[in-house]
């Protein structure tokens, strides 16, 4: 799974990188983004790409309340087309989640506490994580009010470099895949599913970091040391 990541770039920088329109409001930079936080997404509104903050933890349209989102921070690539929570979004509401990097925890011989690792692109470029997004409104909300937009990060089998760390990894999409992934008019699920594969082993590097990242209240840059 992908349960923590780093997002420190300002929205105008993200928008420029993804050739998208920036949002009116900005999120606080965070070196420890946790589930249920708001996160930046990139999605297509017609022919225009937009950067938009969304709730991390997908809330399906049929959910009785938003609390289910805390259990839906990740979606398995292998079951997107069949799971009721994801299959509609997979067909037409796909997005990218920009990230500086993400964390995983690995068991250490003879140690009870796992070692957190920070994983990021070796070339310093942002990661474009594949995601889905959804709209949810409470049943008693007046028309046009109370809408919650939420997102989930898609995971796949790990590549050989990450396999010793974790049995899953987030799907990282290359720039040449962004247009196809974001286009809501593309609904060929086999074509889309072919994009959801492990990143090349050379793309991502990693190093151990402080166990301070275990506490979601810690958000500072020192976590990467």
């Amino acid at each position: 799974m992908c349960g923590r990541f780093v997002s420190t770039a300002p929205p105008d920088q993200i928008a420029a990188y993804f050739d998208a329109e920036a949002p009116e409001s900005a999120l606080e930079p965070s070196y420890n983004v946790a589930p249920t936080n708001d996160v930046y997404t990139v999605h297509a509104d017609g022919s225009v790409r937009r950067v938009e903050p969304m709730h991390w933890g997908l809330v399906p349209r049929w959910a009785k309340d938003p609390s289910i989102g805390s259990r839906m921070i990740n979606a398995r690539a292998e079951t997107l087309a069949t799971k009721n929570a994801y299959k509609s979004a997979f067909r037409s509401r796909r997005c990218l989640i920009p990230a500086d990097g993400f964390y995983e925890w690995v068991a250490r011989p003879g140690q009870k506490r796992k070692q957190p690792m920070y994983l990021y692109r070796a070339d310093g470029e942002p990661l474009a994580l594949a995601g889905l997004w959804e709209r949810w409104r409470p049943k008693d909300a007046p028309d046009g009010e109370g809408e919650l937009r939420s997102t989930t990060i898609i995971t796949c089998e790990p590549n050989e470099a990450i396999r010793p760390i974790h049995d899953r990894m987030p799907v990282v999409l290359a720039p040449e895949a962004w247009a196809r992934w974001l286009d809501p008019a593309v609904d060929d699920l086999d074509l889309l599913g072919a994009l959801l594969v492990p990143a090349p082993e050379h793309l991502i590097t990693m190093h151990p970091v402080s166990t301070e990242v275990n506490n979601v209240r810690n958000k500072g840059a020192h976590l990467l040391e």
Side-chain angles (χ1 to χ4, degrees):
M1 66 180 294
C2 178
R4 302 280 185 82
F5 67 93
V6 176
S7 177
T8 63
D12 56 342
Q13 183 177 320
I14 293 172
Y17 188 80
F18 289 96
D19 192 22
E21 292 189 357
E24 295 181 359
S25 59
L27 301 174
E28 288 294 322
S30 176
Y31 289 85
N32 197 3
V33 180
T36 74
N37 290 167
D38 283 351
V39 300
Y40 288 121
T41 65
V42 180
H43 67 95
D45 182 0
S47 61
V48 179
R49 291 182 187 173
R50 301 187 189 279
V51 177
E52 180 180 350
M54 294 188 188
H55 176 86
W56 184 20
L58 190 134
V59 181
R61 293 188 177 190
W62 44 258
K64 293 181 178 179
D65 63 74
S67 63
I68 191 174
S70 63
R71 305 194 302 273
M72 302 178 73
I73 62 169
N74 292 157
R76 295 175 68 91
E78 299 88 341
T79 57
L80 295 181
T82 56
K83 289 250 183 177
N84 285 337
Y86 305 123
K87 61 184 181 181
S88 176
F90 183 35
R91 189 172 294 278
S92 60
R93 287 180 296 281
R94 299 175 298 272
C95 64
L96 302 172
I97 295 100
D100 301 4
F102 61 98
Y103 299 104
E104 290 295 359
W105 282 256
V106 61
R108 298 181 292 184
Q111 299 290 326
K112 291 183 178 180
R113 180 178 289 187
K114 290 184 176 182
Q115 172 64 55
M117 305 289 292
Y118 179 56
L119 296 88
Y120 53 100
R121 281 188 59 145
D123 59 9
E125 293 290 298
L127 295 168
L129 307 182
L132 306 176
W133 69 278
E134 190 57 273
R135 303 182 183 93
W136 178 87
R137 293 177 62 248
K139 290 183 178 180
D140 57 352
D143 288 345
E145 296 183 16
E147 181 178 273
L148 173 69
R149 294 193 176 197
S150 60
T151 190
T152 187
I153 294 172
I154 299 171
T155 66
C156 64
E157 292 288 324
N159 61 33
E160 291 306 310
I162 293 178
R163 192 175 299 279
I165 305 297
H166 203 276
D167 62 358
R168 303 291 293 178
M169 69 176 293
V171 173
V172 180
L173 292 181
E176 56 268 25
W178 297 349
R180 184 191 309 173
W181 181 253
L182 293 176
D183 187 349
V186 176
D187 61 1
D188 184 327
L189 301 188
D190 290 334
L191 187 67
L192 294 165
L195 301 175
L196 305 179
V197 296
E201 292 177 23
H202 69 269
L203 187 73
I204 295 176
T205 188
M206 66 187 81
H207 67 258
V209 293
S210 169
T211 54
E212 286 190 48
V213 75
N214 296 354
N215 189 330
V216 297
R217 291 188 294 272
N218 295 329
K219 303 288 188 181
H222 67 285
L223 296 177
L224 301 188
E225 297 173 1

